[in-house]
Amino acid sequence: MPVEYQTHEHDVIVIGAGGAGLRAAIEASASGASVGLVCKSLLGKAHTVMAEGGIAAALANVDNRDNWKVHFADTMRGGQYVNNWRMAELHAREAPDRVRELEKWGAVFDRTPDGKILQRNFGGHKYPRLAHVGDRTGLELIRTLQDHGVHQGINVYMERTVIRLLKDGDRIAGALAYDRERGRWTVFRAKAIVLATGGIGKAYKITSNSWEYTGDGHTLAYDAGAELIDMEFVQFHPTGMVWPPSVRGILVTEGVRGEGGVLRNSKGDRFMFGDIPENYKPQTAKDQEEGFRYVLGDKEANRPPELLTRDHVARCIVREVREGRGSPHGGVFLELQTFAEWFGKKNPKFNAAEHWKKKLPSMYHQFKELGGLDITKEAMEVGPTTHYMMGGVRVDSDSQMSRIPGLFACGECAAGINGANRLGGNSLSDLLVLGKRAGEFAAEYAKKQNASGAIHADQVDGAAKTALEPFDRATSESPFKVQEDLQEMMQDLVGIVRKEDEMVRALAGLKELRARAAKIQVTGNREYNPGWHTAMDLHNLLTVSEAVALAAIQRKESRGAQFRDDYPKKDNAKFGKVNSIIAKGANGEMQIKLEQLAPMPQELKDAIMAEGGGVLPDELK
Amino acid sequence: MPTTFRIWRGDATKGEFKDYTAEAGEGMVVLDAVHQIQATQAPDLACRWNCKAGKCGSCSAEINGMPKLMCMTRLDDLPPGETVIVEPMQAFPLVKDLVTDVSWNYEVKKRIKPFRPRKPDNADGTWKMAQEDADRVQEFRKCIECFLCQDVCHVLRDHHKHPEFIGPRFLVHVAQLEMNPLDTEDRIPELKEKQGIGYCNITKCCTKVCPEHITITDNAIIPLKERVVDQYYDPVMKLIQLVFKPRKKDELAETKPS
Ligand SMILES: Cc1cc2nc3c(=O)[nH]c(=O)nc-3n(C[C@H](O)[C@H](O)[C@H](O)COP(=O)(O)OP(=O)(O)OC[C@H]3O[C@@H](n4cnc5c(N)ncnc54)[C@H](O)[C@@H]3O)c2cc1C
Ligand code: SF4
Ligand code: SF4
Ligand code: FES
């Protein structure tokens, strides 16, 4: 008997209601398309809500030397030049308008003394560039978009999880979802679909990411025939909480370092001063004094080494811990007291406790309530946590369309803009800039279609029946246990420091886990059943994990977020101009190939040279 | 330390409390215990969560009778050795176990007139705003929409005035719009006639449960009531103005250009 399902039809269906999905939906709807917005959680609860530090945009409100070219050059340097340069260019050019637009829609950013949007320092950004609201910028962004969007007539379908994209021949035709509440099926029929499902952090044990980050969009696109790109580049944020165990991995915003926070090992050494990469030396402070002057906005000063890129800081922390100089619970110390003392000497009226509570309210709250620690007085313990996925669906730089006609992707589940490492703050701006573009082009694409593609009953039936199988099994594998074993394995074997033999073992391990996943049994009924939901997510986690391992093996060098113990150096000759591309082969096996990057136009090379002391990096020669 | 958790299991039609034992480790929060129980004993135990850090407002429940975020309630802050009672919010229809149907809140939001800014101050489409003005609005914009204040408010919880009263969460929302110095909309008539601000008798229960420490009553509701009083008569407000020294006549309204 065929499964029963409801149908909702719209010109454009957006899957995912974080910053990217909301921005896409707003744009598509503003251009006259009927839009359906589908998400796994309640509206306003997507990952975007957790973003803390800020949105990167060269508004030049705090330092008037900033402009899109500097932002572009910073983004490319951070990504070690394997970024899609066109996306990085569009992003840097359009981010300021996207931020201003938020103000028009009701966002209330922190202000400069002359009443403009305030901007703060962040790792890898040459000038103070992050528009922010204390350390709850993501909340401001998502709430602003959400409130604007619902008044624009977007149809929101909450707590519906898409498990399969439906095609009519080559083109996209719809998506199959179940609703979490009742476990019933819905087909969303559309002329164009935008994926905006976020990342894959739940493939790892220690992560700042929520249950939602199971690589759904990556897998939906891959299964439908799209390509994935840059999957080896998983960002480990240097500072997650490490203690108590139940909060391990929860993010400690880079804003702490941006406001003067200092990293120390158990010997009290400020170890970041001891390891500054060559290409960042000219931009890094020589001593504590200079670093702190930078924090205060002194234009002559360079940034403190704590604000080097995330990949580098994370590795330095791992090294300190491995070599026995870690904190009691396996991290290092991050403290605000050195800055407070230094500043207090210059400024006797300085009230450190008030200052930090105002600048970092949610960090204060988070440590106070979850860690029982007052950050204005005591040092935090921090260590790396899986944070962000640079890799994702390969899309056209201008329109965000994948190689499947009518299938678009934006936000964290799409890839290209960040290359080998994302700079902090560049995600929120990416969501806005490329999210808007995805919405715009999806609506335009939809307008050109006479009708939606046909929905083929066999696709719906096949996917729904597979999803229901675990209820009928007499086996006893637990979905939670399989997920946990996968997370541990990825953490150990395909984590921050990688080796060929370990990753080959991981690939074999993934095969075993897939076999176990096929034996999962689910108890209870279909109504709001987390065991069943977790079972369905496993296919996605297994798929993206395999893609990460495969791509990481292929790239036999260290670059950005990928650090190979067996190839600790960059190899520009072999890997400086290539991306790894993953797609499903004819036999259903995952296949990988390397592809040359498109040559960069001279204008953009000039921008990079201007910021690099007149020299062009090897990758671009 | 093994701890007993008495968790509500059931849906709209029937349900009961069930006891589970979870191992309480250092620093653990109630949500950790619920997850432990899910993974080992009750895989179909329903609850919502996302951030596990008090930022998303998904994991609202009632713990030992108090509306709280499960992810921010540490076990070592609860009475040691005693059973921890976890149940769903009472002001909304139950879906299953700890999950309630909060869709009403999203409908209410749609009915509130959106932000309508004055013309930009600068040629590039931007505005000038002082940090002090931003501060006032930012307090309200901290709201994570956990709906715990809605849950505790007797007007909704006991008197079920959902059709007539928007509840503290949305009074905060209206306050944030009304006090935004750039906004030009007038929401005061609806506030009185359709959104039921008069039902609030300033018990301050909402302020007490707000995990974001928003001073809902003093900073949002009372100033709004004052604006309503300017145009209409509100018995509770009248009383308050008689008993307490009247606040300086709406200082907030002055920041708003006419
Ligand atoms: C703690 C933290 C702090 C951060 N701080 C910053 C910062 O300061 N600055 C910055 O730039 N970046 C920051 N980031 C990164 C940034 O927040 C994320 O990369 C970004 O928010 C992702 O947005 P998105 O729109 O792509 O996805 P999300 O906001 O994660 O939204 C994904 C959406 O897709 C939906 N979804 C997923 N799968 C499915 C499915 N199968 N069916 C239906 N719906 C689905 C989800 O329900 C959700 O609505 C931070 C990240 C974290 C975790
Ligand atoms: S103060 Fe008003 S809104 Fe708050 S709980 Fe009491 S009656 Fe409800
Ligand atoms: S005002 Fe406070 S209690 Fe009410 S929904 Fe917002 S955060 Fe929750
Ligand atoms: S899980 Fe986000 S507030 Fe508790």
Side-chain angles (χ1 to χ4, degrees), chain A residues 387-403:
Chain A
H387 184 56
Y388 181 88
M389 185 55 181
M390 270 74 74
V393 184
R394 186 188 205 187
V395 290
D396 173 67
S397 54
D398 290 56
S399 71
Q400 300 289 113
M401 188 160 93
S402 72
R403 75 172 177 184

Side-chain angles (χ1 to χ4, degrees), chain A residues 26 40-41 49 56 69 84 113 123 166 181 190 227 240 376 435 503 616:
Chain A
I26 287 172
K40 291 207 275 196
S41 287
V49 79
K69 287 185 178 172
N84 178 315
L166 306 169
E181 248 178 55
E227 292 170 319
T376 69
M503 293 193 286
L616 202 59

Side-chain angles (χ1 to χ4, degrees), chain B residues 67-82:
Chain B
K68 281 191 168 176
L69 296 176
M70 289 191 280
C71 72
M72 296 302 278
T73 308
R74 282 174 62 136
L75 296 179
D76 49 19
D77 286 340
L78 299 172
E82 282 178 31

Side-chain angles (χ1 to χ4, degrees), chain B residues 3 51 67 108 134 150 164 180 194 202 215 241:
Chain B
T3 304
C51 68
V108 171
Q150 307 284 73
E164 295 145 76
N180 186 319
K194 297 203 184 107
I202 319 205
T215 326
Q241 287 188 331

Side-chain angles (χ1 to χ4, degrees), chain A residues 182-393:
Chain A
R182 304 262 168 263
R184 291 171 303 204
W185 303 109
T186 305
V187 166
F188 292 101
R189 198 172 168 194
K191 295 175 183 142
I193 288 189
V194 180
L195 291 170
T197 55
I200 68 148
K202 273 288 154 188
Y204 289 84
K205 184 175 163 197
I206 301 176
T207 176
S208 63
N209 295 172
S210 83
W211 67 270
E212 292 202 313
Y213 268 23
T214 44
D216 295 10
H218 293 76
T219 308
L220 290 168
Y222 168 82
D223 282 340
E227 292 170 319
L228 303 177
I229 182 171
D230 292 342
M231 292 297 284
E232 63 273 44
F233 299 124
V234 180
Q235 180 167 75
F236 299 92
H237 193 289
T239 58
M241 290 176 84
V242 297
W243 190 257
S246 74
V247 296
R248 188 163 196 135
I250 291 180
L251 194 76
V252 179
T253 175
E254 192 165 317
V256 174
R257 284 167 284 142
E259 299 290 349
V262 157
L263 289 168
R264 292 190 193 277
N265 61 24
S266 60
K267 298 199 153 60
D269 293 336
R270 200 169 159 190
F271 55 87
M272 288 309 301
F273 267 116
D275 190 348
I276 301 165
E278 267 319 306
N279 59 339
Y280 277 95
K281 279 222 166 106
Q283 303 190 354
T284 309
K286 277 169 259 340
D287 53 25
Q288 171 164 305
E289 175 80 17
E290 182 179 358
F292 285 164
R293 281 197 284 117
Y294 174 89
V295 169
L296 290 180
D298 180 342
K299 292 187 181 172
E300 303 305 313
N302 286 305
R303 64 184 157 227
E306 275 83 4
L307 292 180
L308 285 162
T309 51
R310 290 178 174 177
D311 50 339
H312 182 71
V313 180
R315 272 196 301 279
C316 289
I317 294 176
V318 170
R319 182 196 61 218
E320 292 304 304
V321 175
R322 285 199 176 176
E323 294 176 5
R325 295 183 295 274
S327 65
H329 301 104
V332 295
F333 296 107
L334 172 62
E335 50 93 353
L336 295 162
Q337 288 68 43
T338 306
F339 177 84
E341 253 172 51
W342 175 85
F343 191 65
K345 274 190 200 133
K346 298 184 175 292
N347 191 340
K349 280 205 221 122
F350 178 66
N351 179 333
E354 286 313 308
H355 176 79
W356 299 125
K357 278 188 219 169
K358 172 90 187 108
K359 288 282 184 189
L360 303 164
S362 86
M363 282 302 107
Y364 175 76
H365 193 63
Q366 181 174 314
F367 273 93
K368 190 99 194 145
E369 309 213 351
L370 295 175
L373 182 143
D374 181 347
I375 64 169
T376 69
K377 298 198 178 76
E378 297 161 85
M380 299 160 248
E381 268 188 80
V382 296
T385 180
T386 314
H387 184 56
Y388 181 88
M389 185 55 181
M390 270 74 74
V393 184

Side-chain angles (χ1 to χ4, degrees), chain B residues 49-52 54-59 69 71:
Chain B
W49 69 283
N50 280 286
C51 68
K52 226 178 149 294
K55 296 189 164 75
C56 71
S58 302
C59 65
L69 296 176
C71 72

Side-chain angles (χ1 to χ4, degrees), chain A residues 530-550:
Chain A
W532 181 42
H533 303 162
T534 304
M536 283 187 280
D537 292 344
L538 274 171
H539 166 65
N540 307 337
L541 279 179
L542 286 160
T543 306
V544 291
S545 298
E546 184 181 349
V548 171
L550 211 60

